[in-house]
Amino acid sequence: MRLPHRRPRRGEERHLLLLRELRGAPGRAGPAGPGLRSTRPASRALARHAALTAALLVVFPRPARAACGPEGGARPPVGLALSGGGARALAHIGVLEALEERGARIDCIAGASMGAAIGALYASGYAPVELERIVESIDWRQVFSHRRERTLVPLSRRLDEVPPVLKIGIEEGRFRLPSSTESDYRLDRLLFRLLAGPGLRSGDDFDRLPIPFRLVATDLGSGSRVVLSHGGLARTVRASLSTPASLPPVPLGNQLLVDGGLVDNLPVDVAREMGARLVIAVDATSPPLLPEQYRDAVGVGLQVVDVLARARNAAYAQGADVVIQPDLGRRSSTDYSDVAGLIAAGREAGRAALARVNELSTPAGTQPRGPVPVPEGVVAEVEVRGTRHVRPGLVRAALGVAAPRPFAMAEVMDGLDRVYATGLFESCWVEAEAAGDRLRLVMNAREAPRRTAELGLGYDETDGARGFVRLRDHDLFGWGQQATLAAIASEGGGGLRAELLGDRLWAGGPGYWLEAEAFDERPRLFTKGELLGRAEFDRDDLTFGLQASAGPSILTRLGLTGGWLDVRSRPGLGVDPAREQVRLLSGAVVWDDLDDRDLPTSGVQLRLTAERSLRSLGATHDYWRLHARGEAVLPLTRRFLVQGRFTLGLAGRDVPVHALYRIGGPALLPGIHRDELWGRQVLAASIAPTLLVRGFRLCLRGGAGDVWPAHRDITLRSLRRGAGFGFEKETRFGPLAFEAAIGGSGRTAVYASAGFR
């Protein structure tokens, strides 16, 4: 796609033609011959006036009144006004299908909120059938999610990372609440992918789209309506979609813009100002709340906003010539569960209303369409905007687009995902700007708070309630170095942990980590399935290590740990009290591309670790351990997957009790207690066919395994076996799980957990 030079607007063209006629355009045959001054009689004053007017219009263009339909045509110019309404506004796609069935030719479009998004796509050349395919392919549960793509988060940042229930930013010693309840990252990404090409082709002038287009936003500062006719197409549409509190406002120029539906949810008057003589309005506005819906504080707040917005809309309200109101009942603006049904309702309402309108059909039919343009050209520059503490070099390294190189949409989208996956930004979006015959790629970022306070909560039948409080600096020195201080408490143990992680994220090169821990572990001890009590191991140690990554999913670590461990005396457990010196050399290789930490639907995780206690440095015990454990999830259909786990551990020499392997139910050995079996050697595996039903995971699990004191004792004939059935569900507070199981000896067990694990 060749980047366009600015063409004269309507009106400018008339003056330029007049100037050519008066003076003779170079290279064009006029009355006096090619390239010669015209001999047609004309006053010099008129020529000077035409030249000055044309120049002023090019430099200072007057507010554009888009041409809307053929001038002096046999039919009136037809405009389309599309309302907001969130999910309800997807019904516009069905109405557009009905219009094309009728052979209607739309000459201009005005939209607000979701109507602006649908209108921009249609004005850019997307056919209704393409729009239907696009909206049905979107995972609407994730499009507004803050969740980062786990497989792109550097593995050092997600290895054993427990997500918090609540996270609050800290700036200048004060708590800072999030700028919105939902994330706009995936929405920005989607709009750029779909609209960047048409926006560049039009030169950011909405009159030059295949169908002239306007959208409405609201100035958050003044509350006034803003009608946008030019600018970055994707970004201006995003501004009109900014539902207050739900999505962050969009800064454009010196204004902060939010949802256009607040002031003019059905911009009929804008379509008329564009020149439409016949206006079709499609109204998918949400119905007023029922009295029972505003009996609590939240409901009252929503009702106040709704009443004020409807009153503000009345100031701009104009009657349309044709009003189409799809029968959407009381469907919520956030209910995307039946996209096909919404579109079908719009199609039915459109057919019924348009059957009574004769002026729409044209002999030529609807607008001819070519392929929707995509950005093309050479990226001459990559500019980073919006960073305050994060170094621009880190953003460029994560983006991975080096100039000069040809623009590739897939490469830019992958790079954008990597930037967001660093966790350093509340949102980030990319823009493509024309720079002569090349492109300037602009990476915009809105930084997340550098410091956060985080809270995690959980429960299981073994340790009861548990929780943690975590303070974290996400960008200590500007290259993403992360410092963490955490306090952890539960019946199974508690203490303090501090960590400094210098993994350099995508900047390349080896990284490091430093961890200090003061932790009191209290695991349960069993004999023949009977609980004896809780042991107690008090650990105070310091670990320093080096690490290297191969992409986001492979990590190699080498560390050295030194400290002390106290084994406390507990009556009846058979564990002797002792104070031990810990000097441990450890190494690990980890591969992890699971798509979710707790409830994955695809991917593999494999961990290989080796430990060697160093008597030469003063360690109390002389022992070694080799441990391999893994998890794999294979999706067979959209609703059915198979999950498998295994663990294999070997150890030798003087292995202390606190370094023994521990296994149990429900993940590996259903039917026995969690971490019931302790031993120097371990082997266990499980498989769980899982059905996904309405957000629940129904699983049937079978497992086998055991522990042994020595290598020579390992035998498959002695494996314990068990089976269980249960469900898991993701909630706002973490995964919820319940499972009932029976072991090979007839023992039964029930497991229940909620929150972080």
Side-chain angles (χ1 to χ4, degrees), residues 243-246 262 287-290 293-310 332-334:
T243 308
S246 294
L262 292 175
L289 297 178
L290 298 174
Q293 293 178 291
Y294 49 87
R295 290 178 178 172
D296 55 23
V298 175
V300 169
L302 292 174
Q303 174 67 1
V304 169
V305 171
D306 185 59
V307 168
L308 294 176
R310 290 178 189 276
S332 167
S333 62
T334 60

Side-chain angles (χ1 to χ4, degrees), residues 9-11 14 62-68 71 77 207 212 214 229 270-277:
R9 298 180 187 273
R10 218 173 261 273
R14 286 195 291 270
R62 59 189 172 193
R65 176 181 179 275
C68 191
E71 296 182 354
D207 288 347
R214 295 287 184 274
S229 61
V270 176
R272 293 202 188 280
E273 290 170 3
M274 295 175 74
R277 297 285 300 280

Side-chain angles (χ1 to χ4, degrees), residues 350-423:
R351 287 170 178 168
L354 298 177
R356 302 188 298 271
V357 181
N358 297 321
E359 293 93 332
L360 295 178
S361 299
T362 65
T366 59
Q367 289 91 338
R369 284 193 182 86
V372 177
V374 296
E376 294 179 354
V378 174
V379 177
E381 178 186 358
V382 178
E383 182 180 348
V384 177
R385 297 175 185 170
T387 57
R388 295 179 299 161
H389 305 291
V390 180
R391 298 176 189 265
L394 173 59
V395 180
R396 290 191 180 93
L399 184 64
V401 178
R405 67 192 305 166
F407 180 92
M409 181 64 76
E411 180 185 37
V412 173
M413 293 294 96
D414 289 344
L416 189 62
D417 290 337
R418 288 192 296 269
V419 173
Y420 185 66
T422 63

Side-chain angles (χ1 to χ4, degrees), residues 727-740:
F727 73 84
E728 298 171 307
K729 180 176 176 56
E730 184 64 56
T731 72
R732 172 172 287 183
F733 304 102
L736 176 68
F738 178 86
E739 187 167 332

Side-chain angles (χ1 to χ4, degrees), residues 396-446:
R396 290 191 180 93
L399 184 64
V401 178
R405 67 192 305 166
F407 180 92
M409 181 64 76
E411 180 185 37
V412 173
M413 293 294 96
D414 289 344
L416 189 62
D417 290 337
R418 288 192 296 269
V419 173
Y420 185 66
T422 63
L424 300 176
F425 306 101
E426 283 188 343
S427 186
C428 51
W429 65 97
V430 68
E431 296 175 281
E433 300 177 351
D437 60 349
R438 295 191 168 197
L439 293 174
R440 177 188 299 111
L441 200 62
V442 180
M443 182 68 233
N444 299 275
R446 185 173 62 250

Side-chain angles (χ1 to χ4, degrees), residues 461-530:
E461 81 289 343
T462 297
D463 294 330
R466 57 184 180 268
F468 68 80
V469 175
R470 191 162 62 200
L471 300 177
R472 176 167 284 172
D473 189 314
H474 298 264
D475 187 31
L476 193 61
F477 305 125
W479 285 100
Q481 294 88 347
Q482 181 174 274
T484 304
L485 176 64
I488 307 160
S490 77
E491 190 177 347
L496 295 175
R497 183 175 294 142
E499 182 185 51
L500 175 63
L501 179 62
D503 51 3
R504 293 181 59 81
L505 292 176
W506 294 94
Y512 63 88
W513 92 98
L514 180 66
E515 182 180 280
E517 185 178 56
F519 199 83
D520 179 18
E521 184 185 13
R522 297 186 292 273
R524 301 197 303 173
L525 281 175
F526 296 84
T527 178
K528 297 181 180 180
E530 295 297 325

Side-chain angles (χ1 to χ4, degrees), residues 34-205:
L36 302 179
R37 179 180 295 274
S38 171
T39 57
R40 181 180 300 172
S43 74
R44 294 176 180 266
L46 182 59
R48 286 194 299 270
H49 171 75
L52 178 60
T53 302
L56 288 174
L57 282 171
V58 171
V59 178
F60 303 106
R62 59 189 172 193
R65 176 181 179 275
C68 191
E71 296 182 354
R75 64 175 182 87
V78 178
L80 183 64
L82 301 177
S83 78
R88 296 168 61 92
L90 297 182
H92 295 330
I93 298 173
V95 175
L96 293 172
E97 290 183 6
L99 284 167
E100 296 215 341
E101 288 175 0
R102 183 67 188 275
R105 190 180 184 95
I106 300 300
D107 300 301
C108 58
I109 301 174
S113 196
M114 184 65 86
I118 301 297
L121 291 167
Y122 188 69
S124 297
Y126 287 93
V129 65
E130 293 177 279
L131 296 180
E132 185 170 1
R133 177 185 55 78
I134 289 169
V135 299
E136 288 184 345
S137 68
I138 295 172
D139 185 350
W140 292 98
R141 294 174 300 175
Q142 294 295 324
V143 74
F144 301 114
S145 169
H146 291 269
R147 180 179 176 180
R148 294 175 287 163
E149 192 74 26
R150 185 177 186 272
T151 55
L152 293 177
V153 178
L155 187 50
S156 57
R157 295 299 172 102
R158 54 186 162 94
L159 189 66
D160 301 322
E161 172 74 357
V162 179
V165 173
L166 177 66
K167 179 160 66 174
I168 300 177
I170 303 174
E171 287 189 350
E172 298 179 354
R174 297 181 179 180
F175 290 119
R176 175 193 145 184
L177 294 176
S179 60
S180 61
T181 59
E182 297 174 327
S183 171
D184 63 341
Y185 165 69
R186 289 177 177 81
L187 181 59
D188 285 325
R189 183 186 190 278
L190 177 67
L191 292 173
F192 179 82
R193 181 170 62 84
L194 297 175
L195 294 175
L200 279 172
R201 172 67 64 86
S202 70
D204 291 338
D205 181 353

